[in-house]
Amino acid sequence: MSHLLYNARIHRTAFDDDPADAILIRDGVVAWVGTRAEAPAADTATDLNGRSVLPGLTDAHVHLFALALSRLQISFARQPVSSIEELVTLLQGAPGEWIQASDLMEDRLVEGRLPTAADLDLSFPDRPVLLRRYCGHVAVLNTAAMQALGLAADMPDPASGVFHRDAEGRLTGIAEETAAEWVFARAPAPSDAELAQGILDVMHECLSFGLTALTEAAVGFSIGYDREASVWAHLRAHHEIPVRMGFMLQLDPEQAAHRGLLPAPSADWSVETLKYFADGIIGGRSGALSEPYDDTGGLGVLMQPTDALEDSFARTHADGWRIAVHATGDRGIARVTTAIAAAQGENRDRRHRIEHCFVPPDGLFDELAEQGIVTVTQPGFLHRMGGSIARGLGARAQRAYPAASILRAGAALAFSSDAPTGPLSPWDGMQAAMTRTGHHGGQIGAAEAVSFAQALDAYIAGGAYAMRQEDMRGTLAPGMAADLVVLRDDPFALAPDDLPGLRADLCMVAGQVTHRAGPA
């Protein structure tokens, strides 16, 4: 069967300044693109009434599992609070034995800090309460929750994590990094079926933005690897998957081998990447910097000794896996770049990845190009975290979240959301990449701004390249997969501030309609 879409502005790429007005799809691929007058015969045809057509977009780093989990809990993103008092009041209406909530942002609270067990115990002396900071790297518990999980004051801090304590050595209820992961992996969670349906719902929301391919950024980050893997297996066994999926596994090579896992690249369900954390987060002031944070002091933390990181990377590369590394501070990024270079040697076609690259070190971009490293950033952070970035980094904020510099160096760049930490919509990300305007009203790194076409390309061609799929998708050319999005408005004609309102009328993946909204 063949199908013709016509009377449209069909952009073959983000840089197509001479759009076609018709495209023929046959057997899941693009068979022809050109003018309606020259179109080949087709079995069926659809008049798109002047709509714009783009190749399907990719979110190269998103946490679908965390989004689904958040929507099965209280969410401070959906129900904002402005003080710890309001937060406690909202929690008091929660059903169930445990109270769990997500998307906590202390910057939005008048106290300007995270709540503690002492704050929560006043209203919840016997009922466990567990809160997740919006980044996923921090947990907040009350005393009842700590007791239920067996977390006592004499519990040693795990490697690369910390259970915060007061001056008398008592637990405050705040846990960071691997300590937070310890908490989340032991707390009650919804059923596999509930979480799988929640993930499917998030996939359909992604399609409404024109996202046809997604990379789950760390299987294991939300409630532990084995529990999450079970949910993904349930999803795949019981549901039709409407998007192309890639996965990063939060495992080291030994853990992957113990589970019998091998790299398995695929067009539809690609598992070929192991995920590492080199340092913490800039928002929590734990990203590893070479100079102290302007507001809190301190240099952040490196998660592993250098030799351990290099050994893990070397084994990962030798076993055929790709490496993806969370690295935010210049000290952490420099260390990761060196370790990847040592691991891959002259074999530079694996496309290992640096996730975030928040505050890059000097001279990084040429090295990225030389080493074939893909940088995956989240421009939406610039808006959501603008005030925090400015306070913590000072003058260094002007080089935060680079884009233009990476492109000038000829290195590979993909944009993404890192939702729920950043906004899920790629159109929000594009607006931020172009304007570099923070929520606080100031501009962050104007010299790193990019054009709309460059921002769009980082979500289309950049995303396909990051998933090593540019040979089969990312452009609307004959022989390429018919992954496309139909938009009622022409994004090339919109001002940056109008981009966040864009939604897809229709999406196709391999020529099959996976999303439809609005008039036929």
Side-chain angles (χ1 to χ4, degrees):
M1 289 287 291
S2 59
H3 190 85
L4 184 73
L5 304 176
Y6 68 96
N7 188 17
R9 293 179 57 83
I10 299 167
H11 297 270
R12 303 166 183 85
T13 72
F15 298 104
D16 188 352
D17 57 5
D18 184 23
D21 64 9
I23 183 170
L24 181 69
I25 297 164
R26 181 186 295 119
D27 299 329
V29 302
V30 176
W32 172 91
V33 187
T35 64
R36 175 71 174 98
E38 298 173 344
D43 296 309
T44 57
T46 300
D47 184 347
L48 291 181
N49 296 308
R51 288 173 171 81
S52 292
V53 177
L54 300 172
L57 280 63
T58 296
D59 191 330
H61 180 128
V62 62
H63 296 275
L64 303 179
F65 195 102
L67 285 163
L69 182 63
S70 167
R71 293 171 188 195
L72 293 167
Q73 300 174 340
I74 295 170
S75 167
F76 298 120
R78 294 193 305 273
Q79 298 173 275
V81 294
S82 59
S83 67
I84 292 174
E85 181 181 0
E86 287 184 12
L87 178 151
V88 168
T89 300
L90 176 62
L91 297 180
Q92 285 173 334
E97 178 183 354
W98 276 69
I99 301 172
Q100 296 196 54
S102 302
D103 306 315
L104 176 62
M105 296 184 69
E106 70 273 22
D107 280 357
R108 305 293 170 89
L109 303 178
V110 294
E111 293 86 354
R113 64 171 176 86
L114 293 167
T116 64
D119 296 315
L120 300 172
D121 287 348
L122 293 172
S123 298
F124 307 103
D126 304 310
R127 195 173 172 198
V129 178
L130 172 58
L131 313 180
R132 184 186 301 257
R133 191 177 185 268
Y134 73 106
C135 64
H137 291 253
V138 180
V140 178
L141 308 89
N142 70 344
T143 299
M146 288 189 281
Q147 292 172 343
L149 297 179
L151 177 55
D154 59 357
M155 173 81 77
D157 289 339
S160 307
V162 58
F163 295 109
H164 284 235
R165 293 170 169 82
D166 63 19
E168 284 73 43
R170 294 171 298 202
L171 293 169
T172 68
I174 297 174
E176 289 190 27
E177 301 299 344
T178 55
E181 292 181 26
W182 184 94
V183 170
F184 296 138
R186 288 161 176 78
S191 69
D192 286 6
E194 289 175 305
L195 285 163
Q197 181 60 55
I199 291 171
L200 190 65
D201 292 342
V202 175
M203 288 177 174
H204 283 289
E205 183 176 356
C206 289
L207 284 163
S208 76
F209 296 124
L211 293 162
T212 59
L214 310 167
T215 295
E216 175 70 2
V219 178
F221 182 66
S222 295
I223 60 172
Y225 177 81
D226 292 314
R227 293 172 80 183
E228 292 182 36
S230 174
V231 173
W232 285 107
H234 181 98
L235 174 67
R236 197 177 187 194
H238 294 90
H239 297 277
E240 184 174 343
I241 310 302
V243 295
R244 300 189 191 274
M245 284 298 307
F247 294 90
M248 305 178 199
L249 311 182
Q250 193 172 329
L251 299 172
D252 63 31
E254 291 76 15
Q255 292 167 331
H258 177 72
R259 291 168 173 81
L261 298 172
L262 296 171
S266 163
D268 301 316
W269 192 269
S270 188
V271 183
E272 60 170 354
T273 305
L274 301 186
K275 174 73 175 289
Y276 293 89
F277 289 83
D279 62 358
I281 54 175
I282 299 299
R285 305 305 187 247
S286 55
L289 298 178
S290 56
E291 299 292 337
Y293 286 93
D294 280 34
D295 53 354
T296 61
L299 297 172
V301 295
L302 293 171
M303 294 297 191
Q304 301 179 54
T306 299
D307 56 351
L309 190 75
E310 290 183 343
D311 289 348
S312 290
F313 284 10
R315 172 74 184 273
T316 302
H317 183 86
D319 286 355
W321 294 97
R322 297 179 68 194
I323 299 166
V325 197
H326 166 114
T328 62
D330 59 349
R331 189 160 52 105
I333 296 164
R335 179 188 179 199
V336 164
T337 306
T338 300
I340 289 177
Q344 68 182 4
E346 296 303 313
N347 180 10
R348 299 177 179 179
D349 60 357
R350 192 72 57 80
R351 296 187 198 168
H352 299 311
R353 302 170 41 145
I354 294 178
E355 314 295 315
H356 307 303
C357 198
F358 209 127
V359 189
D362 292 336
L364 173 72
F365 308 119
D366 290 340
E367 179 72 5
L368 294 176
E370 181 179 347
Q371 295 295 332
I373 296 172
V374 180
T375 305
V376 182
T377 68
Q378 299 76 36
F381 280 21
L382 293 165
H383 181 73
R384 181 167 285 187
M385 297 173 57
S388 176
I389 294 170
R391 291 192 301 274
L393 299 179
R396 290 168 293 183
Q398 297 310 309
R399 56 189 175 96
Y401 263 116
S405 295
I406 294 175
L407 294 176
R408 280 195 299 270
L413 174 67
F415 282 163
S416 64
S417 70
D418 195 22
T421 307
L424 182 58
S425 169
W427 308 105
D428 287 68
M430 287 180 231
Q431 177 203 33
M434 297 167 67
T435 66
R436 310 281 299 189
T437 302
H439 186 269
H440 65 311
Q443 197 171 32
I444 305 293
E448 292 296 338
V450 294
S451 69
F452 171 68
Q454 289 173 317
L456 180 63
D457 189 62
Y459 279 104
I460 296 177
Y465 187 86
M467 292 179 71
R468 300 206 300 183
Q469 295 178 345
E470 77 281 3
D471 289 341
M472 51 82 63
R473 67 179 185 87
T475 62
L476 295 178
M480 300 292 281
D483 292 13
L484 58 82
V485 53
V486 179
L487 303 167
R488 183 169 306 176
D489 298 312
D490 181 1
F492 291 88
L494 295 179
D497 288 347
D498 293 328
L499 288 171
L502 273 177
R503 297 294 182 272
D505 274 356
L506 183 140
C507 289
M508 284 184 173
V509 175
Q512 299 298 310
V513 175
T514 55
H515 169 78
R516 190 190 303 273

